[in-house]
């Protein structure tokens, strides 16, 4: 039986693959602190690299200020009003993840105003543009509407190939060229699917005590596709 040890991804700047689909998002992270506004939003589907880029930003801040602390990463769904009142004292820089899951709109409104008025920076991540989020608090909607958005679009073949190589490398697997070609021809073309696929291939390989092969890749694809159909129609 394979033991499900966690896989720690590489989240450094050199580990992020730059392509046409994410060039603008990478450029705005690299351009800090010369941002056009105190807050920005990284927009993209799950698994596209938003959190990776947020970590790159956090590392850049730590190096710039010569401080080893990690800036706060807060899930929007977990943000409370009391927490929002104290966060700026912890760090003038903050990442708010999964913006559509926000529950306490007053808390974000207060945090937004605090960081804007005191000269901090906020990086939002979201799979929906802030202007399309139908929050009930009008003042919060109007503020989020002016936050610049930088989208990470669907990957092309070149980026998918690089992503697969990185995902396998994170698991100490060196894929052979024929395997990568097979995956590119048969996989669904999304970041999240690529991550699930490599995980499933690794799990099957460990359970069977066999080296990664096209046969294992085929089984992994069939398993994922069946699971996705079951979730859709089951």
């Amino acid at each position: 039986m394979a033991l499900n040890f966690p896989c720690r991804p590489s989240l450094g700047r050199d580990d992020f693959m730059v392509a046409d689909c994410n060039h603008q998002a990478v450029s705005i992270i690299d351009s800090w602190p010369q941002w056009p506004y105190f807050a920005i939003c990284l927009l993209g589907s799950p698994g596209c690299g938003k959190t990776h880029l947020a970590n790159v930003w956090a590392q850049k801040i730590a190096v710039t200020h010569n401080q080893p602390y990690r800036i706060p990463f807060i899930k929007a769904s977990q943000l409370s009003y009391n927490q929002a009142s104290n966060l700026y004292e912890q760090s003038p820089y903050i990442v708010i993840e999964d913006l559509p899951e926000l529950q306490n709109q007053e808390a974000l409104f207060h945090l937004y105003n605090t960081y804007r008025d005191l000269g901090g920076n906020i990086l939002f991540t979201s799979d929906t543009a802030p202007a399309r989020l139908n929050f009930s608090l009008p003042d919060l909607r109007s503020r989020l509407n002016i936050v610049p958005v930088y989208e990470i679009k669907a990957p092309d073949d070149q980026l998918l190939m690089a992503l697969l190589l990185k995902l396998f490398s994170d698991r100490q697997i060196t894929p052979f060229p024929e395997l990568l070609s097979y995956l590119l021809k048969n996989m669904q073309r999304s970041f999240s699917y690529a991550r699930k696929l490599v995980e499933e291939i690794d799990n099957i390989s460990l359970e069977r005590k066999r080296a990664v092969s096209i046969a294992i890749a085929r089984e992994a694809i069939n398993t994922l596709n069946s699971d996705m159909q079951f979730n859709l129609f089951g």
Side-chain angles (χ1 to χ4, degrees), residues 41-45 99-100 125-134 149:
C41 177
L42 297 181
L43 174 67
S45 60
L99 185 58
T125 70
S126 179
D127 60 5
T128 304
R132 299 184 63 183
L133 295 174
N134 192 28
V149 174

Side-chain angles (χ1 to χ4, degrees), residues 13 24-40 53-54 56-66 69 71 91-94 115 119-123 150:
R13 173 64 176 83
Q24 286 189 338
V26 175
S27 295
I28 194 63
I29 296 299
D30 287 344
S31 71
W32 181 87
Q34 281 76 45
W35 280 3
Y37 195 55
F38 84 98
I40 67 164
L53 281 180
V56 172
W57 181 57
Q59 292 168 14
K60 184 173 184 179
I61 290 170
V63 170
T64 301
H65 294 284
N66 195 29
Y69 68 83
I71 70 173
S91 170
Y93 313 103
I94 190 170
Y115 276 73
N121 288 129
I122 305 175
L123 189 155
Y150 300 87

Side-chain angles (χ1 to χ4, degrees), residues 166-224:
K166 179 187 181 300
L167 293 172
F168 278 119
S169 176
D170 286 342
R171 294 174 178 273
Q172 290 79 52
I173 298 172
T174 303
F176 51 95
E178 292 80 7
L179 173 65
L180 293 173
S181 296
Y182 176 84
L183 294 177
L184 284 175
K185 290 178 182 177
N186 293 277
M187 67 183 286
Q188 295 186 23
R189 311 188 71 73
S190 73
F191 294 99
S192 59
Y193 187 91
R195 295 178 190 279
K196 293 176 183 177
L197 178 56
V198 171
E199 180 181 5
E200 185 67 20
I201 289 172
D202 190 22
N203 288 341
I204 294 174
S205 172
L206 290 172
E207 289 173 3
R208 304 284 170 77
K209 297 181 180 180
R210 291 165 46 196
V212 172
S213 65
I214 289 178
I216 287 178
R218 184 183 300 114
E219 182 178 348
I221 289 173
N222 290 336
T223 298
L224 286 184

Side-chain angles (χ1 to χ4, degrees), residues 9-195:
S10 301
L11 295 176
R13 173 64 176 83
D14 293 339
D15 300 303
F16 193 90
M17 288 78 70
V18 182
D20 289 342
C21 65
N22 59 28
H23 182 264
Q24 286 189 338
V26 175
S27 295
I28 194 63
I29 296 299
D30 287 344
S31 71
W32 181 87
Q34 281 76 45
W35 280 3
Y37 195 55
F38 84 98
I40 67 164
C41 177
L42 297 181
L43 174 67
S45 60
C48 70
K50 301 186 297 292
T51 298
H52 189 151
L53 281 180
N55 275 276
V56 172
W57 181 57
Q59 292 168 14
K60 184 173 184 179
I61 290 170
V63 170
T64 301
H65 294 284
N66 195 29
Q67 295 193 20
Y69 68 83
R70 174 179 169 83
I71 70 173
F73 277 57
I74 307 295
K75 294 288 186 182
S77 60
Q78 300 172 1
L79 184 65
S80 67
Y81 192 89
N82 289 338
Q83 183 186 38
S85 300
N86 299 322
L87 280 169
Y88 190 87
E89 296 177 7
Q90 297 179 34
S91 170
Y93 313 103
I94 190 170
V95 175
I96 304 295
E97 295 196 280
D98 303 326
L99 185 58
E101 305 302 319
L102 179 70
Q103 300 296 317
N104 193 324
Q105 297 179 35
E106 291 282 354
L108 183 58
F109 178 71
H110 176 61
L111 182 143
Y112 184 106
N113 289 340
T114 298
Y115 276 73
R116 180 197 60 189
D117 296 345
L118 297 180
N121 288 129
I122 305 175
L123 189 155
F124 296 104
T125 70
S126 179
D127 60 5
T128 304
R132 299 184 63 183
L133 295 174
N134 192 28
F135 291 139
S136 59
L137 190 63
D139 287 340
L140 177 61
R141 286 206 312 270
S142 66
R143 281 160 174 75
L144 291 178
N145 283 347
I146 61 176
V147 172
V149 174
Y150 300 87
E151 184 178 5
I152 301 176
K153 300 176 182 178
D156 56 18
D157 277 359
Q158 181 182 7
L159 183 57
L160 267 181
M161 176 74 79
L163 177 60
L164 288 170
L165 283 169
K166 179 187 181 300
L167 293 172
F168 278 119
S169 176
D170 286 342
R171 294 174 178 273
Q172 290 79 52
I173 298 172
T174 303
F176 51 95
E178 292 80 7
L179 173 65
L180 293 173
S181 296
Y182 176 84
L183 294 177
L184 284 175
K185 290 178 182 177
N186 293 277
M187 67 183 286
Q188 295 186 23
R189 311 188 71 73
S190 73
F191 294 99
S192 59
Y193 187 91
R195 295 178 190 279

